[in-house]
Amino acid sequence: MSTADDVAAAADASAGQDDAVRYEPTDSGVAVLTLNRPERLNTWGGDIAGAFYSSLERADDDPAVRVIVVTGSGKAFCAGAQLGSMESVGKSLENTDERALSELVGERQPHFLTTLRKPVIAAVNGSCVGIGLTLALMCDVRFAAAGAKFAASFARRGLIAEYGISWILPRLTGWGVALDLLLSGRTFLADEAVELGLVKEVVAPDQLMTRVLDYAEDIARNCSPASMAVIKRQAYGDASRDVDDATARAEALLHASLLRPDVIEGITSFFEKRAPNFPGLASSE
């Protein structure tokens, strides 16, 4: 079983590499993706975007990976978009064509996380602002280090609710809280984030990765990858359907699930009081 120390050791081994995102698979079926530009608080740019989305695809296609964890190196998870100097900001504002914007954001957008077949867990180790907040909210589950700062600061920068945050935030918190956070752009801490339903747990900073890996490894060890893939598709797809349509689709998916070996294994392991041995997902599934 891997531990937070194992991940830290892997990180130390690759410290000399100039990787915008570290990719560290563990023996327990968890792939840890670490945004790795601590000198700029992991602010989002084309270098991180390209490495991040390719790492997500790599993890989603690997049958040995069952759960994905996303975190940041240093003091921040992701402190928003990479603005650079006042001069570079001015040039960016003069060049607002879609190509320039896509170079900053990347070929995909944060909601790509919701289309993955595998659970994605955010370990919010520090500042989580702007597009960094959108990224964290598009993960399936979030843990946060005590004292981590959050902000949907778009209105304070003269911007709008970017890249799907206006879709996901009300679904997590309700309309009133979402509009408070979006319209005020105020900063709030991890303790409030858990009260608002944005975060599952607040953990001491030095225990964050240990707790997240324990949670992720429990899922990897005990949950069917095929079941989780279907459940994710149901949860995000049903958000735009009425209850009759969602129920009908669930019935069809249930019949299909009964044909998979996962059901027999899940029931057998329960009665035999042992951990299940579910097959991994092939890249073509």
Side-chain angles (χ1 to χ4, degrees):
M1 180 182 295
S2 96
T3 66
D5 291 337
D6 296 329
V7 174
D12 291 340
S14 62
Q17 301 176 14
D18 186 25
D19 293 329
V21 175
R22 293 200 306 263
Y23 183 94
E24 296 155 11
T26 71
D27 293 338
S28 55
V30 179
V32 180
L33 279 58
T34 306
L35 309 186
N36 192 34
R37 288 291 183 260
E39 70 282 358
R40 66 177 204 233
L41 300 179
N42 299 319
T43 48
W44 194 262
D47 55 342
I48 286 181
F52 181 67
Y53 289 120
S54 64
S55 294
L56 286 176
E57 288 185 325
R58 175 182 174 185
D60 205 44
D61 286 342
D62 186 349
V65 172
R66 301 190 174 208
V67 183
I68 302 167
V69 170
V70 178
T71 192
S73 60
K75 298 179 179 180
F77 178 77
C78 175
Q82 183 184 9
L83 297 177
S85 65
M86 285 299 297
E87 181 181 0
S88 64
V89 171
K91 291 180 179 178
S92 297
L93 292 175
E94 293 172 2
N95 182 24
T96 56
D97 60 74
E98 293 184 5
R99 180 178 179 182
L101 192 59
S102 66
E103 289 177 354
L104 172 66
V105 178
E107 295 180 356
R108 295 182 174 86
Q109 294 191 6
H111 76 269
F112 177 68
L113 290 162
T114 69
T115 71
L116 298 176
R117 302 171 301 164
K118 300 173 182 180
V120 184
I121 302 166
V124 180
N125 57 299
S127 296
C128 185
V129 178
I131 194 171
L133 177 59
T134 305
L135 187 76
L137 298 184
M138 293 295 181
C139 294
D140 303 309
V141 182
R142 288 154 296 283
F143 292 76
K149 295 181 178 180
F150 298 77
S153 54
F154 309 107
R156 297 195 178 211
R157 306 293 178 265
L159 299 168
I160 53 86
E162 300 172 343
Y163 304 115
I165 195 170
S166 60
W167 179 85
I168 190 66
L169 187 54
R171 286 169 165 79
L172 295 173
T173 66
W175 286 106
V177 172
L179 288 171
D180 161 39
L181 299 179
L182 290 170
L183 295 177
S184 71
R186 65 182 178 85
T187 298
F188 56 100
L189 300 180
D191 285 341
E192 183 177 359
V194 76
E195 292 176 0
L196 298 177
L198 295 178
V199 168
K200 171 177 164 51
E201 290 179 26
V202 176
V203 186
D206 61 348
Q207 293 297 312
L208 179 64
M209 286 307 296
T210 297
R211 172 66 182 114
V212 171
L213 285 173
D214 284 347
Y215 179 85
E217 289 172 349
D218 177 70
I219 293 174
R221 188 167 53 247
N222 293 302
C223 297
S224 160
S227 294
M228 292 190 292
V230 173
I231 289 169
K232 278 195 66 168
R233 191 164 72 242
Q234 285 179 278
Y236 292 110
D238 289 348
S240 60
R241 300 187 182 100
D242 62 38
V243 65
D244 290 334
D245 188 18
T247 302
R249 291 177 63 86
E251 185 175 5
L253 291 168
L254 175 61
H255 286 299
S257 71
L258 295 175
L259 301 177
R260 290 196 297 268
D262 300 56
V263 173
I264 297 298
E265 174 60 15
I267 295 173
T268 302
S269 63
F270 174 77
F271 281 113
E272 294 180 353
K273 297 182 179 180
R274 60 173 174 80
N277 183 26
F278 294 120
L281 288 176
S283 60
S284 60
E285 286 187 74

